Amino acid sequence: MTTATTVLRTARRGHAGLFWLAAALGALAVVAALGVLVDDRELLGAPIWLKPLKFALSFGLYALALAWMIGGLERGLRTARAVGWVLVVGSAVEVGVIVVQAARGRRSHFNEETALDGSLYSLMGATVALIWLATAVVAVVLLRQRVADPGMRWGIRLGLGVGLVGMALGMLMVDGGAHAVGVADGGPGVPFVGWSTVGGDLRVGHFVGIHALQVLPLLAAALAATRLDADARRALVVIAGLGYLGLVALGTWQALRGQPVLAPDGLTLAVLGALVLGVGLAAATVLRQHPATDRPEVLR
């Protein structure tokens, strides 16, 4: 059985609602991609269906990752599954509003131009708060779970922790009524993601943080396939998680200073260099102290 098949089966067993939500959002992503190709309408300088495409992919990966994590639970499974349905409904509403507004040719975020637009934006704000709280509850349940592999244990813990930080960074955009800093929303941006190339963009830290939920457990899974012992894998995942959190903080700090993500100044580059150097030295130290071995180990 392939790793992908195992993940999918575990996710479906863990939470059928989140699993089928991920499948539906995958289908929506295909439809939205077709919309990008055949619908020539634009909104804020981007194809009208690009935003539904991005959100379908993002929420789909989020739902699949959580369903897989819930599938590994032994304690608190009933609570996690109940809260999972809150996530299913909240995510469906969030993405649904984005699709409806795209079809209407209207902005979904930061739009209170009409009573309907304002009501839909308020609904999105409420569902985002609900999604964050529900994710936090699932995180607490997962933190209490004993995971045999220490690398995966910390990959899940740090993935959820950094993911919650990334989700919370969305409040910076809500408070400011925009995602751009120093310039108006829209305008030149990085292909596909749309991050501003002429001003700061708070979506950078938000996006990177949210997807720690997939990146760090995947890193743990990759390390589990190596000949490194359990202590080394755990240490490497923790180092990567802290470095990832530092990258989220750096991206957010850069955006708050009105600086384009592709045009960092000397100070930003210096901090990035220090972060990379620190992570690299820490990882090298672990690998030197725990060289790879062919000896079998007993997970603690």
Side-chain angles (χ1 to χ4, degrees), residues 67-241:
W68 171 76
M69 291 179 185
I70 292 172
L73 284 174
E74 295 177 359
R75 294 185 299 173
L77 181 58
R78 182 178 299 179
T79 298
R81 282 179 171 167
V83 175
W85 284 107
V86 175
L87 294 169
V88 170
V89 174
S91 300
V93 169
E94 188 77 6
V95 178
V97 171
I98 291 169
V99 171
V100 168
Q101 289 294 75
R104 296 178 64 227
R106 309 286 294 180
R107 289 183 298 141
S108 52
H109 289 78
F110 320 120
N111 183 5
E112 298 178 313
E113 295 175 0
T114 69
L116 178 58
D117 291 333
S119 296
L120 290 174
Y121 178 45
S122 297
L123 176 61
M124 292 177 69
T127 56
V128 164
L130 188 64
I131 289 169
W132 191 93
L133 289 171
T135 304
V137 172
V138 174
V140 171
V141 173
L142 285 163
L143 287 174
R144 298 176 60 225
Q145 178 71 23
R146 178 72 176 176
V147 178
D149 182 75
M152 183 58 71
R153 186 187 315 150
W154 281 97
I156 291 173
R157 289 175 176 177
L158 290 168
L160 283 163
V162 178
L164 285 168
V165 170
M167 293 171 69
L169 288 174
M171 291 304 300
L172 294 175
M173 293 181 272
V174 174
D175 288 343
H179 56 73
V181 178
V183 295
D185 284 354
V190 178
F192 188 70
V193 290
W195 300 334
S196 177
T197 55
V198 292
D201 201 315
L202 294 166
R203 293 176 297 179
V204 177
H206 180 59
F207 174 89
V208 174
I210 285 175
H211 291 289
L213 191 65
Q214 295 90 41
V215 173
L216 295 178
L218 280 174
L219 172 63
L223 289 172
T226 69
R227 293 182 292 117
L228 293 170
D229 64 31
D231 289 337
R233 297 198 304 272
R234 176 178 57 223
L236 290 173
V237 170
V238 170
I239 291 167

Side-chain angles (χ1 to χ4, degrees), residues 279-300:
V279 169
L281 288 175
T285 300
V286 169
L287 292 173
R288 186 171 61 251
Q289 294 176 347
H290 300 270
T293 176
D294 290 323
R295 292 176 298 174
E297 60 171 323
V298 178
L299 296 176
R300 300 190 297 275

